[in-house]
Amino acid sequence: MTVTTTPHLNFRGDARAALEFYHSVFGGQLVVLTNEDAHSVEAPAEAQHVKFGQVLGENGFQIMAYDVPASLAYDQGEKSLFVSVRGDSVEQIEELWGRLVEGSTIVEDLTPSFFSPAYGMLRDAFGVVWVLDVAAAYNAA
């Protein structure tokens, strides 16, 4: 039996733009189902909001997102979550960083750290904080 963990991001009207951006960074398959597509429009202004969306990259990258309806409380929070992308090489992470950094605010530059040959953190234009690093062998305490 296999279990997969996929980050599911919640937005208020920005889910489509965020998913399209992540698709441009990571490639793969983009799926966007609107409230109208799902026949679940609560408010006419939200007909084109995302009911279900995901990006499935050929490299194993997965992320899901939707737009929280106005009828529900929503607060993205300052640090509600980080999306961690861990690669096998510095070159791989530098390439993804170079695409993901567009329109983002760098929290920590992509540089070597004591635990990884490359580590960086940024907040994208949609308020999501991303941590990118290279997997490194280390001993558990």
Side-chain angles (χ1 to χ4, degrees):
M1 173 190 282
T2 301
V3 174
T4 302
T5 301
T6 305
H8 188 289
L9 306 177
N10 302 327
F11 296 95
R12 183 61 65 94
D14 289 329
R16 177 185 298 273
L19 287 163
E20 289 173 351
F21 175 65
Y22 304 146
H23 180 249
S24 76
V25 171
F26 296 98
Q29 179 187 25
L30 169 66
V31 175
V32 175
L33 176 70
T34 66
N35 290 325
E36 185 174 64
D37 296 333
H39 306 288
S40 63
V41 177
E42 293 179 19
E46 297 178 343
Q48 294 305 307
H49 283 195
V50 175
K51 180 76 169 185
F52 171 82
Q54 69 180 6
V55 174
L56 299 174
E58 294 172 8
N59 61 0
F61 175 82
Q62 298 181 68
I63 200 154
M64 299 169 66
Y66 96 120
D67 287 310
V68 177
S71 62
L72 299 176
Y74 172 71
D75 180 5
Q76 187 176 26
E78 183 65 26
K79 293 184 179 180
S80 59
L81 65 92
F82 297 153
V83 178
S84 176
V85 177
R86 178 163 281 166
D88 295 326
S89 71
V90 172
E91 295 77 18
Q92 178 187 34
I93 290 302
E94 285 175 339
E95 180 180 343
L96 293 172
W97 178 272
R99 294 192 299 239
L100 196 56
V101 76
E102 183 178 327
S104 298
T105 301
I106 295 174
V107 177
E108 292 187 38
D109 288 323
L110 184 66
T111 61
S113 72
F114 73 93
F115 61 87
S116 175
Y119 170 87
M121 181 184 293
L122 58 83
R123 179 181 301 277
D124 71 20
F126 306 99
V128 176
V129 177
W130 293 79
V131 174
L132 281 75
D133 70 350
V134 176
Y138 50 90
N139 297 324

